[in-house]
Amino acid sequence: QLVESGGGLVQAGDSLRLSCAARGFIFSSYGMGWFRQAPGKEREFVAHVTRSSGSTTYADSVKGRFTISRDNTASTVSLQMNSLKPEDTAVYYCAAIRNYKLSEVTRRHEYNYWGQGTQVTVSS
């Protein structure tokens, strides 16, 4: 089970931190990712962190503004979002991926577990 929190309504340029708490599986055995889905659009990849936090991957649209991190002791993964833009408005989902190659972490169909999502709205 994955439970996201931290979404809300902010203004352009503001920051927001999303968190995701995991339970029911061995958290440290899974890569963790964040995806988002805007109204009328497909769910898209945002960021991924490997099991040991040794490597991170970001979508070009968020690179330099968003930072993904994880705490294996607490079984949590976070997404720090800075310099938010109206186009970042979406429902944000965390997801867990068990077996993967780094080239596959952007593919949503490769993920095993999903949270219910948290809404992020950025006003201009």
Side-chain angles (χ1 to χ4, degrees):
Q1 181 184 12
L2 297 170
V3 180
E4 302 96 336
S5 61
L9 172 63
V10 296
Q11 293 187 333
D14 285 351
S15 297
L16 205 58
R17 186 177 181 87
L18 305 182
S19 294
C20 173
R23 62 189 65 181
F25 62 94
I26 302 174
F27 182 75
S28 59
S29 295
Y30 287 73
M32 296 300 298
W34 285 94
F35 286 74
R36 66 187 182 187
Q37 188 167 16
K41 295 188 176 181
E42 291 191 352
R43 193 171 299 187
E44 65 174 6
F45 170 79
V46 175
H48 173 270
V49 60
T50 54
R51 298 176 185 91
S52 61
S53 302
S55 177
T56 55
T57 306
Y58 295 94
D60 288 343
S61 59
V62 306
K63 204 171 292 183
R65 299 188 298 122
F66 290 12
T67 302
I68 188 172
S69 61
R70 67 186 294 163
D71 183 340
N72 284 347
T73 300
S75 296
T76 59
V77 60
S78 299
L79 185 69
Q80 177 66 42
M81 305 185 295
N82 298 330
S83 302
L84 282 161
K85 305 176 181 180
E87 50 263 43
D88 294 319
T89 295
V91 177
Y92 283 71
Y93 299 89
C94 70
I97 184 169
R98 179 67 176 92
N99 296 308
Y100 61 94
K101 302 175 183 177
L102 279 179
S103 60
E104 298 171 340
V105 300
T106 62
R107 304 174 190 173
R108 64 183 186 271
H109 300 295
E110 299 290 339
Y111 284 74
N112 305 99
Y113 302 123
W114 290 86
Q116 83 290 347
T118 185
Q119 176 71 46
V120 172
T121 304
V122 184
S123 63
S124 58

